[in-house]
Protein backbone atom coordinates (compact mmCIF):
# COMPACT_ATOMS: atom_id res chain seq x y z
CA UNK A 1 0.00 0.00 0.00
CA UNK A 2 2.78 2.46 0.80
CA UNK A 3 4.47 1.89 -2.54
CA UNK A 4 1.27 2.23 -4.55
CA UNK A 5 0.60 5.65 -3.07
CA UNK A 6 3.98 6.86 -4.32
CA UNK A 7 3.62 5.49 -7.85
CA UNK A 8 1.98 7.40 -10.66
CA UNK A 9 -0.31 5.21 -12.72
CA UNK A 10 0.37 5.62 -16.42
CA UNK A 11 -1.62 4.06 -19.22
CA UNK A 12 1.02 2.06 -21.11
CA UNK A 13 -1.44 0.33 -23.41
CA UNK A 14 -0.57 2.86 -26.09
CA UNK A 15 1.76 2.83 -29.02
CA UNK A 16 5.34 3.96 -28.46
CA UNK A 17 4.55 7.42 -29.81
CA UNK A 18 1.48 7.69 -27.56
CA UNK A 19 3.54 6.66 -24.55
CA UNK A 20 6.18 9.20 -25.54
CA UNK A 21 3.56 11.97 -25.68
CA UNK A 22 2.13 10.92 -22.34
CA UNK A 23 5.58 10.88 -20.74
CA UNK A 24 6.39 14.28 -22.25
CA UNK A 25 3.30 15.70 -20.58
CA UNK A 26 4.27 14.17 -17.24
CA UNK A 27 7.89 15.35 -17.44
CA UNK A 28 6.91 18.89 -18.39
CA UNK A 29 4.24 18.93 -15.69
CA UNK A 30 6.89 17.91 -13.15
CA UNK A 31 9.70 20.16 -14.35
CA UNK A 32 7.76 23.17 -15.62
CA UNK A 33 4.21 23.10 -14.24
CA UNK A 34 3.67 26.66 -15.46
CA UNK A 35 4.16 25.55 -19.07
CA UNK A 36 1.85 22.58 -18.77
CA UNK A 37 -0.80 24.74 -17.08
CA UNK A 38 -0.48 27.37 -19.83
CA UNK A 39 -0.77 24.71 -22.54
CA UNK A 40 -3.88 23.21 -20.96
CA UNK A 41 -5.40 26.67 -20.54
CA UNK A 42 -4.73 27.45 -24.20
CA UNK A 43 -6.42 24.24 -25.29
CA UNK A 44 -9.51 25.01 -23.20
CA UNK A 45 -9.64 28.63 -24.37
CA UNK A 46 -9.27 27.64 -28.02
CA UNK A 47 -12.13 25.17 -27.69
CA UNK A 48 -14.30 27.81 -26.02
CA UNK A 49 -13.53 30.36 -28.75
CA UNK A 50 -14.36 27.85 -31.48
CA UNK A 51 -17.66 27.17 -29.74
CA UNK A 52 -18.40 30.90 -29.61
CA UNK A 53 -17.70 31.22 -33.35
CA UNK A 54 -20.02 28.28 -34.03
CA UNK A 55 -22.75 29.88 -31.89
CA UNK A 56 -22.38 33.17 -33.77
CA UNK A 57 -22.64 31.33 -37.06
CA UNK A 58 -25.73 29.45 -35.89
CA UNK A 59 -27.36 32.69 -34.70
CA UNK A 60 -26.77 34.39 -38.05
CA UNK A 61 -28.09 31.41 -39.99
CA UNK A 62 -31.14 31.25 -37.73
CA UNK A 63 -31.86 34.96 -38.22
CA UNK A 64 -31.42 34.60 -41.97
CA UNK A 65 -33.84 31.68 -42.13
CA UNK A 66 -36.43 33.54 -40.03
CA UNK A 67 -36.03 36.77 -41.94
CA UNK A 68 -39.14 37.84 -43.80
CA UNK A 69 -38.65 39.98 -46.87
CA UNK A 70 -35.31 41.56 -47.62
CA UNK A 71 -32.48 40.80 -45.17
CA UNK A 72 -31.28 44.37 -45.70
CA UNK A 73 -34.45 45.69 -44.05
CA UNK A 74 -34.19 43.43 -40.97
CA UNK A 75 -32.59 45.54 -38.23
CA UNK A 76 -32.18 42.58 -35.86
CA UNK A 77 -30.22 40.74 -38.51
CA UNK A 78 -28.03 43.74 -39.29
CA UNK A 79 -27.34 44.34 -35.57
CA UNK A 80 -26.51 40.67 -35.10
CA UNK A 81 -24.17 40.77 -38.10
CA UNK A 82 -22.40 43.86 -36.77
CA UNK A 83 -22.02 42.33 -33.31
CA UNK A 84 -20.83 39.04 -34.75
CA UNK A 85 -18.29 40.80 -36.96
CA UNK A 86 -16.80 42.57 -33.93
CA UNK A 87 -16.86 39.41 -31.80
CA UNK A 88 -15.35 37.36 -34.62
CA UNK A 89 -12.50 39.86 -35.04
CA UNK A 90 -11.82 39.72 -31.28
CA UNK A 91 -11.79 35.93 -31.32
CA UNK A 92 -9.52 35.81 -34.38
CA UNK A 93 -7.05 38.14 -32.63
CA UNK A 94 -7.11 35.97 -29.50
CA UNK A 95 -6.63 32.83 -31.61
CA UNK A 96 -3.62 34.41 -33.31
CA UNK A 97 -2.05 35.29 -29.95
CA UNK A 98 -2.86 31.82 -28.61
CA UNK A 99 -1.19 30.17 -31.61
CA UNK A 100 1.98 32.20 -31.08
CA UNK A 101 1.99 31.36 -27.38
CA UNK A 102 1.42 27.70 -28.14
CA UNK A 103 4.37 27.71 -30.55
CA UNK A 104 6.57 29.18 -27.81
CA UNK A 105 5.38 26.58 -25.32
CA UNK A 106 5.94 23.76 -27.82
CA UNK A 107 9.49 25.00 -28.47
CA UNK A 108 10.21 24.81 -24.76
CA UNK A 109 8.54 21.40 -24.48
CA UNK A 110 10.80 20.08 -27.25
CA UNK A 111 13.72 20.36 -24.84
CA UNK A 112 12.16 17.55 -22.80
CA UNK A 113 11.53 15.17 -25.71
CA UNK A 114 14.78 13.20 -25.17
CA UNK A 115 13.62 12.32 -21.64
CA UNK A 116 10.27 11.05 -22.89
CA UNK A 117 11.93 9.07 -25.71
CA UNK A 118 14.32 7.38 -23.30
CA UNK A 119 11.49 6.62 -20.89
CA UNK A 120 9.46 5.06 -23.68
CA UNK A 121 12.46 2.95 -24.77
CA UNK A 122 13.15 1.91 -21.19
CA UNK A 123 9.57 0.77 -20.73
CA UNK A 124 9.51 -1.33 -23.89
CA UNK A 125 12.93 -2.83 -23.11
CA UNK A 126 11.70 -3.76 -19.65
CA UNK A 127 8.57 -5.39 -21.03
CA UNK A 128 10.69 -7.28 -23.57
CA UNK A 129 12.78 -8.74 -20.72
CA UNK A 130 9.75 -10.75 -19.66
CA UNK A 131 10.08 -12.70 -22.90
CA UNK A 132 13.65 -13.78 -22.12
CA UNK A 133 13.81 -17.43 -21.16
CA UNK A 134 15.05 -17.73 -17.54
Amino acid sequence: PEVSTKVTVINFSLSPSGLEDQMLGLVVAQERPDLEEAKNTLIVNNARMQTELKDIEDTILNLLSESKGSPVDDENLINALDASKIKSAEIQAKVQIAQETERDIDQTRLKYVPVSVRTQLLFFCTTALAKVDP
Side-chain angles (χ1 to χ4, degrees):
E2 292 177 18
V3 174
S4 66
T5 59
K6 296 180 182 181
V7 175
T8 302
V9 177
I10 301 172
N11 182 3
F12 289 119
S13 64
L14 301 172
S15 64
S17 64
L19 176 59
E20 187 178 315
D21 290 339
Q22 191 175 21
M23 291 310 303
L24 179 61
L26 287 171
V27 168
V28 173
Q30 182 69 30
E31 295 292 320
R32 296 282 308 270
D34 57 322
L35 280 182
E36 197 63 20
E37 177 80 25
K39 178 121 174 118
N40 291 336
T41 302
L42 280 175
I43 290 170
V44 169
N45 287 341
N46 282 340
R48 187 175 25 85
M49 288 186 280
Q50 294 299 327
T51 302
E52 286 179 26
L53 284 174
K54 178 74 170 121
D55 290 343
I56 289 170
E57 181 182 310
D58 291 343
T59 301
I60 291 171
L61 290 174
N62 188 27
L63 288 172
L64 280 172
S65 68
E66 292 175 354
S67 177
K68 297 203 176 14
S70 175
V72 177
D73 298 332
D74 191 352
E75 287 186 34
N76 287 338
L77 178 60
I78 292 174
N79 292 337
L81 286 171
D82 287 339
S84 66
K85 182 178 177 182
I86 293 168
K87 185 70 171 175
S88 178
E90 290 173 3
I91 290 173
Q92 292 298 342
K94 288 178 184 177
V95 166
Q96 185 70 22
I97 292 169
Q99 287 173 345
E100 292 171 9
T101 305
E102 190 169 7
R103 267 187 252 119
D104 293 342
I105 290 171
D106 287 341
Q107 287 295 329
T108 306
R109 282 173 58 109
L110 286 176
K111 295 176 184 174
Y112 296 99
V113 167
V115 174
S116 65
V117 170
R118 286 184 179 89
T119 305
Q120 174 259 127
L121 289 172
L122 181 63
F123 171 76
F124 284 108
C125 286
T126 305
T127 57
L129 284 175
K131 298 176 185 172
V132 175
D133 191 25

